[in-house]
Amino acid sequence: MRASPGALIALLAACLSAPSLSMAIGDGEVTVAGSAFTGDYGTGTNIDSQRFTVRYVTGNDWQFGAALSMVRIGATADATYTGLGAPSMTGNRRDGQGPMNGSGSGTATPAQGEATTVAAVEDVYASGLGDLWLSLSRRLVGGGVRVYRFAANLEVKAPLADEAENLGTGEWDYRLGGAGEYRFWSLVTYGGVGWNRLGDPAWVDLNNVFDAYVGVDSNPLAGERLVISGWVDGWQEIIDGAGH
């Protein structure tokens, strides 16, 4: 396992002024949020992905959460969405396997003297239901009326996304980590670290990696329903040489 060039944990994504909508339902809270990521991550292959996530959390000392997303991904080369982004799979698939293998057109060698036309490579987008994430969190310190909170958490990814469309790996993933927050008068800062056990599809080997994130939320706006969030997160390289 190796880290991305320049850092063990690379800052891969920033979501600035990303709106989220929260509301109380029964003893829990539902949050709807959107995020968008783009970049080539040092590979020369630009990858775009967007997520629209609905999350439900309930509990205090123990918290249970469930999150389900709609995912849209586009790339100039073969890429698959994972819980930690969408690394390029080009040159990393086992024995040429993969859900997208064979979908492209072949090339032919022109006869001597014939003109050669090079077609432009265009982004190909796919969209659909993402994976289901279930989480269980245990408060260790703080919480309640205190301005700080720290908890240990376990997350499990149930593979619901369409593997054939590269919207998911089709494998179960697990994450064990810790997360904390500190409340100020007008905003909440938060952060966390975790270790991810990523399931390996038959067509690629994924590294088990550490991740980290830090962010800030505004106090509820627009009638206690709208929160403005911004965060950065990063992780070790999921596939050796893929730039993530």
Side-chain angles (χ1 to χ4, degrees):
M1 183 188 307
R2 69 176 185 177
S4 300
L8 181 64
I9 297 293
L11 293 179
L12 299 181
C15 186
L16 302 176
S17 300
S20 61
L21 181 66
S22 298
M23 64 185 69
I25 296 182
D27 295 330
E29 182 179 64
V30 173
T31 301
V32 180
S35 59
F37 305 86
T38 186
D40 64 8
Y41 311 106
T43 66
T45 297
N46 191 68
I47 297 173
D48 296 306
S49 63
Q50 297 89 38
R51 295 182 69 185
F52 180 77
T53 304
V54 178
R55 181 183 300 273
Y56 177 76
V57 177
T58 184
N60 188 14
D61 288 346
W62 288 91
Q63 285 190 346
F64 171 77
L68 189 61
S69 301
M70 292 297 294
V71 178
R72 183 174 183 264
I73 179 174
T76 54
D78 210 357
T80 293
Y81 199 91
T82 72
L84 294 174
S88 171
M89 300 294 173
T90 303
N92 294 291
R93 297 191 183 278
R94 295 190 195 137
D95 302 323
Q97 298 177 11
M100 297 286 284
N101 188 57
S103 61
S105 60
T107 58
T109 302
Q112 186 175 2
E114 285 187 4
T116 303
T117 301
V118 179
V121 178
E122 297 181 356
D123 288 355
V124 178
Y125 285 86
S127 59
L129 186 68
D131 296 313
L132 172 65
W133 280 90
L134 303 175
S135 63
L136 182 65
S137 174
R138 168 59 175 163
R139 184 181 66 174
L140 301 179
V141 294
V145 297
R146 296 180 177 89
V147 296
Y148 63 90
R149 185 180 191 274
F150 184 81
N153 51 64
L154 172 67
E155 298 177 75
V156 178
K157 185 202 80 177
L160 299 185
D162 190 342
E163 182 183 1
E165 292 290 339
N166 282 356
L167 299 177
T169 63
E171 300 294 325
W172 291 78
D173 294 345
Y174 306 90
R175 182 182 183 275
L176 181 64
E181 66 176 43
Y182 193 92
R183 297 196 305 273
F184 294 93
W185 285 105
S186 59
L187 53 85
V188 177
T189 58
Y190 58 89
V193 295
W195 180 79
N196 299 266
R197 171 66 172 87
L198 302 179
D200 293 329
W203 38 272
V204 71
D205 287 320
L206 302 179
N207 294 328
N208 301 321
V209 299
F210 287 95
D211 71 81
Y213 64 90
V214 62
V216 60
D217 287 349
S218 72
N219 282 341
L221 307 170
E224 302 294 309
R225 293 179 180 275
L226 182 66
V227 174
I228 304 299
S229 301
W231 72 88
V232 291
D233 55 11
W235 46 88
Q236 292 173 291
E237 210 168 39
I238 302 172
I239 300 175
D240 291 336
H244 285 69

